[in-house]
Amino acid sequence: MPIIETHVLEGYSDDEKARLSRALTDAALSVVPAKPDAITVMIHEMPRSHYMRGGTHRDPAPARPDAAATVRAYLAAMEARDLDTAKSMLGDGFVMNFPAAPGMSALEELIAWSKPRYAFVKKAYDKVEAFQQGETSVVYTIGTLFGEWLDGTAFDGIRFIDRFELRDGRIVRQDVWNDMAEVKAQA
C-alpha cells in the first residue's frame, strides 16, 4: 500500500501537519483503491538552517487557512447578521448565486433579496466537505434549513447545499441550492 513521504520546513503547527497528512491520504485514495488505514504518510521536518534556495535561507510559507473553518465562520457571522465579520472573509470579485436570484456581490443585496421571503433562516449541518482544485479551495455544506416564514409559521427540514470557492483564504464564490420555494409553495 502507498507510503507517502514529504519534507517541510520546520515551523508548521501540529494541526497544519495533520491537515497536510489528511490531504495527502485523500489524494492517494482518489487514485489507489485502498483503505485509509493502509496509507502511510510521513512528514519530515527540515530545520530552516538546512535549507537554502538561491543561496538564501528561507522561512516556510504560512499555511493556508482551513477552508472549511473559514466557511463555517462566515456562515455563523451571516446567521448572526455580523456583516462586518462576514465581509472580512470575502475576496475580490465575490459573487453569490441563490435560486431565482440574480448574481449578487454585496451581502446587503442578499439581505434585501431575502427580506420579503422569510423572517429568519438558520442551518443545521449534516456535513461539510472540503478539497483543493489547484489554487482554489472548494467547500460544500450540506444540511437542512429551519426558521420562520413572514407570517410567523415555523419551517424546518428544508434541504440545502452550498458550494463555496476560496482563493488565498477568502471566499470568492457562493452557489446555493435548496428546496425552499417548493416547501413554501406546499405550505
Side-chain angles (χ1 to χ4, degrees), residues 126-148:
D126 293 332
K127 65 171 124 177
V128 177
E129 300 171 334
F131 61 93
Q132 198 69 25
Q133 285 290 117
E135 294 183 4
T136 301
S137 301
V138 179
V139 177
Y140 283 90
T141 60
I142 301 165
T144 56
L145 302 173
F146 64 96
E148 189 175 284

Side-chain angles (χ1 to χ4, degrees), residues 15 31 37 68 73 77 80 88 100 121-122 126 132 142 151 164:
D15 178 60
V31 177
D37 62 356
S88 74
V121 66
K122 295 186 178 194
D126 293 332
Q132 198 69 25
I142 301 165
D151 67 3
F164 294 86

